Amino acid sequence: TDGSLIDLVAVSDRCREVGAALCLDLTQSLGAMPFDGARVQPSFVACSTHKWIHSIHGVSLLYVASEWMDRVQSMEEHDRNRVGSDQPYWDDVGAMTLEGYPTESMPGAQKLDAGGRPNPILMPTLLESLEMVTSVGPQLVASFCAPRLLLIADCARALGYTVSST
């Protein structure tokens, strides 16, 4: 977008009226701007954590509303999102049997996990980042950034650029 703020509650209301999913990529704003998921009621939210969540590259978050969970399926076909892959024997014995790979997906959001297992340092780092962001709050980050963004906008206008007013 051009950086304009969007009334997500109004968009969400309209999506529900017509039966459409509201899919949000909040990478550029989650953690820096207030977001009320209970009011917006998105169908899906995706967010890379290396921006305003202040975590490291390699982790993304995905929220799927419960009413959509049974309708989504993984874009990846691998053994790590299959029933049984969480068992200790899985890596020793392997997933392949005489019948081939297991076909039943893990229940819930686990069926959407990426292949492989994350670097063990990523999850503790993400946890610390989320705790920091939630303790500071996006309102404080937004109030810190607002005057700086206004200064940048004024300078851009002075150079002849068109800048959104929202």
Side-chain angles (χ1 to χ4, degrees):
T1 69
D2 64 1
S4 299
L5 298 179
I6 298 169
D7 184 349
L8 292 176
V9 173
V11 173
S12 179
D13 289 345
R14 183 65 179 140
C15 285
R16 280 191 303 284
E17 285 174 20
V18 300
L22 176 60
C23 305
L24 303 174
D25 177 353
L26 298 183
T27 298
Q28 301 297 337
S29 60
L30 197 63
M33 296 178 66
F35 174 72
D36 188 341
R39 285 191 64 220
V40 174
Q41 300 179 40
S43 308
F44 302 89
V45 174
C47 178
S48 178
T49 63
H50 73 281
K51 297 270 185 169
W52 292 104
I53 300 298
H54 304 285
S55 195
I56 55 180
H57 286 273
V59 178
S60 293
L61 302 174
L62 175 67
Y63 164 82
V64 179
S66 59
E67 63 268 20
W68 289 93
M69 188 55 72
D70 290 337
R71 295 192 263 178
V72 297
Q73 61 188 84
S74 179
M75 294 174 64
E76 282 191 280
E77 294 294 331
H78 57 81
D79 71 324
R80 293 297 179 172
N81 61 2
R82 303 296 176 195
V83 169
S85 65
D86 56 345
Q87 299 301 314
Y89 67 82
W90 192 268
D91 288 326
D92 296 334
V93 177
M96 181 65 86
T97 66
L98 292 175
E99 292 81 34
Y101 284 108
T103 56
E104 185 180 356
S105 295
M106 294 287 275
Q110 289 177 303
K111 69 182 177 183
L112 304 174
D113 283 351
R117 293 289 183 240
N119 178 325
I121 197 68
L122 296 180
M123 293 300 111
T125 303
L126 175 61
L127 178 61
E128 289 295 322
S129 298
L130 290 170
E131 288 175 350
M132 185 271 302
V133 167
T134 54
S135 70
V136 169
Q139 294 84 355
L140 182 63
V141 175
S143 67
F144 176 83
C145 292
R148 288 153 181 83
L149 293 173
L150 290 174
L151 177 61
I152 292 168
D154 288 343
C155 291
R157 284 187 194 96
L159 291 170
Y161 291 97
T162 302
V163 179
S164 170
S165 60
T166 59

